[in-house]
Amino acid sequence: MSRRNTPSRIKSNRNYTVIDVSETLGVHPKTVRNWIRVGLPVVDSKRPLLINGADLKVHFKQKRSAIRFNVAKHEMSCFRCQGAMKPNIESVQFIEQPAGMALMKGVCNECGCRMNKYVSWRDVHEIWLELKGKLPIAQKHIILRDQNLSNYPFSGVSSDEK
Ligand SMILES: [Zn+2]
């Protein structure tokens, strides 16, 4: 157990292959591929897949706090409140990441701390509905890498919501 999931061995400023991560952390490569499947971002879609060390650290921090704080899909970990908090709806942004992921950013409704988490694009609509109800998501909350809404994962984007 002590050798497993030790993110302190990971250096933020380098990229790792699946095998590198597996060897550094003492886990099976299948485990690493599974992390990618459930949300660990990869640098781009080229092979071999590369994982950024900083992303890997965030992934572990998120995983640990998600368990500790029991974070729901639409909630985020606030390290000041020490719990699962809802972000302020106006502050929420979903920033497109490679491999079908989004970086969700927002500030804590209670204390105003910045919070980040990685989510799947597939879940963005559901998260938004949980937070905001029936109103369509406004374009300002969505940051796409090429700003082309045609690859936007769901319909009902509103560009004029205040
Ligand atoms: Zn807070």
Side-chain angles (χ1 to χ4, degrees), residues 78-82 85 108-113 115:
C78 177
F79 291 96
R80 190 182 291 167
C81 298
Q82 288 287 302
M85 304 302 294
C108 174
N109 243 340
E110 289 297 317
C111 74
C113 256
M115 307 184 291

Side-chain angles (χ1 to χ4, degrees), residues 18 31-42 49 51 99 101:
V18 168
T31 306
V32 182
R33 285 189 205 103
N34 193 46
W35 293 341
I36 294 170
R37 205 170 51 77
V38 300
L40 174 63
V42 291
L49 293 176
I51 300 143
M101 299 303 297

